[in-house]
Amino acid sequence: MTTRLYTLLLTGFLLLAAGAVQARDVVIFAAASLKNALDQAVGVFEATTGQSVAVSYAGSSALARQIQQGAPADLFISANLMWMDVLQDQGLVRANSRRVLAGNRLVVIGRQAQPLDLTAQAFRAALGPDGRLAMALVDAVPAGIYGKAALQNLGLWDALAPSVAQTDNVRAALRLVALGEAPLGIVYATDAAQETDVQIVARFDPETHPPILYPLALVSDSTHAKAPDLLAFLTSPAAQDILTAHGFLQGPAQ
């Protein structure tokens, strides 16, 4: 009887443990600019699979550094190739799982729908004597890196650099303009579409900066059984339709 009771208790414990593992959230570390679209896509995945998902949004650089420090994540979605390359080179993401989720465009936003010429004179006039140009961190966060590259290619960076107000991520730059704390900001087109208090006043030619691509991959330490299913769903036509509806560009063929 003792052996049988022990076996029953052990079986019950294993079943409970398996259920706990199954119930654990799949954890995504994702670039802040994906929030609205990814929230919707994740909602569809949860509704159709019953598997809960937790998403942590921040600048890609901050998320990559958290993964480097051992933060528990199952998937990583960066807003540029560089931070994914860094983690792949360090063996922290599974190279064979890597995909490109989507693309984006880079724009200048303001509170008023006043078209802006991409010249130093036009920027200075729009900013005024003390106004700031809101941008994500220009040497770390993808939106800031793209924005700085575009301004450099147009010969504007040296003139505008003293006026730049750097933020931890692109959504924070968006918010500065929406709140009227900065007359202008450089963000993604998809960010501008989510905020009713800003207008797109100029668009950068894609040739002025590296291609804006969002790679995703499984984190090497992930053990969640449903993480590969979520990755597959995010690159499926259903999820791609959601991203496109939010203004993202279709990622290149895998």
Side-chain angles (χ1 to χ4, degrees):
M1 291 294 293
T2 303
T3 302
R4 183 179 179 188
L5 179 60
Y6 174 79
T7 301
L8 289 172
L9 288 172
L10 179 59
T11 301
F13 173 78
L14 292 174
L15 288 172
L16 286 172
V21 171
Q22 182 66 21
R24 181 175 71 82
D25 293 345
V26 181
V27 178
I28 308 176
F29 280 13
S33 54
L34 285 165
K35 179 170 174 48
N36 301 79
L38 190 57
D39 280 351
Q40 185 178 345
V42 162
V44 173
F45 179 81
E46 290 178 321
T48 55
T49 65
Q51 172 61 57
S52 59
V53 178
V55 188
S56 177
Y57 294 105
S60 300
S61 55
L63 295 171
R65 291 185 180 115
Q66 289 176 37
I67 292 172
Q68 288 173 323
Q69 293 164 8
D74 297 298
L75 281 81
F76 175 52
I77 310 176
S78 174
N80 71 353
L81 301 178
M82 182 190 79
W83 283 111
M84 187 65 78
D85 289 343
V86 168
L87 295 189
Q88 183 174 325
D89 290 345
Q90 295 173 353
L92 296 175
V93 296
R94 301 178 196 174
N96 61 355
S97 72
R98 183 169 168 172
R99 304 286 187 274
V100 174
L101 180 66
N104 215 330
R105 301 179 181 87
L106 196 66
V107 300
V108 184
I109 55 169
R111 295 263 298 173
Q112 307 295 326
Q114 183 79 28
L116 178 78
D117 291 332
L118 294 176
T119 65
Q121 182 179 5
F123 269 101
R124 281 195 294 267
L127 291 173
D130 302 312
R132 294 291 185 177
L133 174 62
M135 296 177 65
L137 293 167
V138 299
D139 293 321
V141 177
I145 294 171
Y146 294 129
K148 180 179 179 179
L151 293 176
Q152 286 176 324
N153 278 323
L154 292 171
L156 302 176
W157 176 249
D158 290 342
L160 296 177
S163 299
V164 170
Q166 299 188 53
T167 63
D168 288 340
N169 60 68
V170 69
R171 286 297 174 97
L174 174 72
R175 199 72 191 135
L176 281 182
V177 179
L179 292 172
E181 309 242 345
L184 298 174
I186 296 178
V187 301
Y188 299 122
T190 52
D191 296 309
Q194 299 298 333
E195 178 54 71
T196 58
D197 289 331
V198 306
Q199 305 291 329
I200 294 176
V201 298
R203 300 176 186 271
F204 289 102
D205 188 321
E207 297 298 320
T208 62
H209 55 78
I212 301 174
L213 298 174
Y214 291 75
L216 79 160
L218 293 170
V219 176
S220 295
D221 287 343
S222 171
T223 59
H224 202 298
K226 294 297 182 181
D229 294 342
L230 178 54
L231 184 146
F233 171 75
L234 291 175
T235 55
S236 71
Q240 288 294 307
D241 286 347
I242 292 171
L243 289 161
T244 301
H246 281 265
F248 288 90
L249 304 176
Q250 190 85 27
Q254 305 299 318

